[in-house]
Amino acid sequence: MNGQTMKTLPEELRPYERLEAFGAEALSDTELLAVLLKSGSRRKTAAEVAADVLCRCGGLSGLDGMSVPALSEVEGIGRAKAVTLLAAYELGLRICRSDLLQRRVAGGHHGRLACTSAVPDQGLQHKQRIRL
């Protein structure tokens, strides 16, 4: 950890402050996971633990199929944090599959969102590119 904690980082590098200032879309995957984790371990910041999770999973999409015990093998991840990460991942999948997203798209937002989700009953992957 180099003696750094999230509190000792300059404000412009802290995930919470960056999210407030620039919005969630400005954060990296590591920073978003760090926000969900809230804290790290005795030796690592939340951002370092988040980076370890992403390394172990091979990126965000690697959370698909991970189990609580498998995530708990990462230093700084216990049962509660593993459950939080898997629940957040599942929420993201459900949002991508929902009609709510379709309605939001019709609302005239700008940008693009790519959703990849598993179709549970068929075991297929479905990818949507939606113009927001």
Side-chain angles (χ1 to χ4, degrees):
M1 178 168 72
N2 329 1
Q4 286 265 64
T5 66
M6 296 303 269
K7 290 178 183 178
T8 61
L9 286 175
E11 278 194 29
E12 64 272 7
L13 297 179
R14 296 182 205 162
Y16 279 73
E17 286 76 1
R18 285 183 32 78
L19 191 144
E20 287 179 319
F22 306 111
E25 63 278 357
L27 272 62
S28 68
D29 294 348
T30 300
E31 291 171 314
L32 289 169
L33 286 183
V35 168
L36 290 173
L37 293 175
K38 298 180 186 174
S39 64
S41 67
R42 288 180 186 211
R43 297 184 322 176
K44 296 184 177 188
T45 65
E48 290 169 325
V49 172
D52 289 349
V53 167
L54 290 174
C55 185
R56 169 145 184 132
C57 296
L60 285 178
S61 63
L63 285 169
D64 191 31
M66 289 292 286
S67 66
V68 170
L71 277 173
S72 297
E73 291 175 8
V74 176
E75 181 187 344
I77 300 291
R79 180 177 173 261
K81 288 180 182 180
V83 166
T84 298
L85 293 180
L86 294 176
Y89 183 78
E90 180 61 27
L91 278 172
L93 291 177
R94 291 181 186 191
I95 289 167
C96 285
R97 291 189 299 247
S98 75
D99 289 340
L100 177 65
L101 184 61
Q102 301 281 337
R103 282 181 266 155
R104 187 170 172 206
V105 170
H109 288 79
H110 302 290
R112 238 187 344 201
L113 178 64
C115 294
T116 303
S117 60
V119 179
D121 296 332
Q122 300 169 0
L124 303 173
Q125 284 232 334
H126 177 68
K127 187 165 187 168
Q128 297 176 322
R129 277 219 183 264
I130 301 169
R131 189 127 179 101
L132 296 177

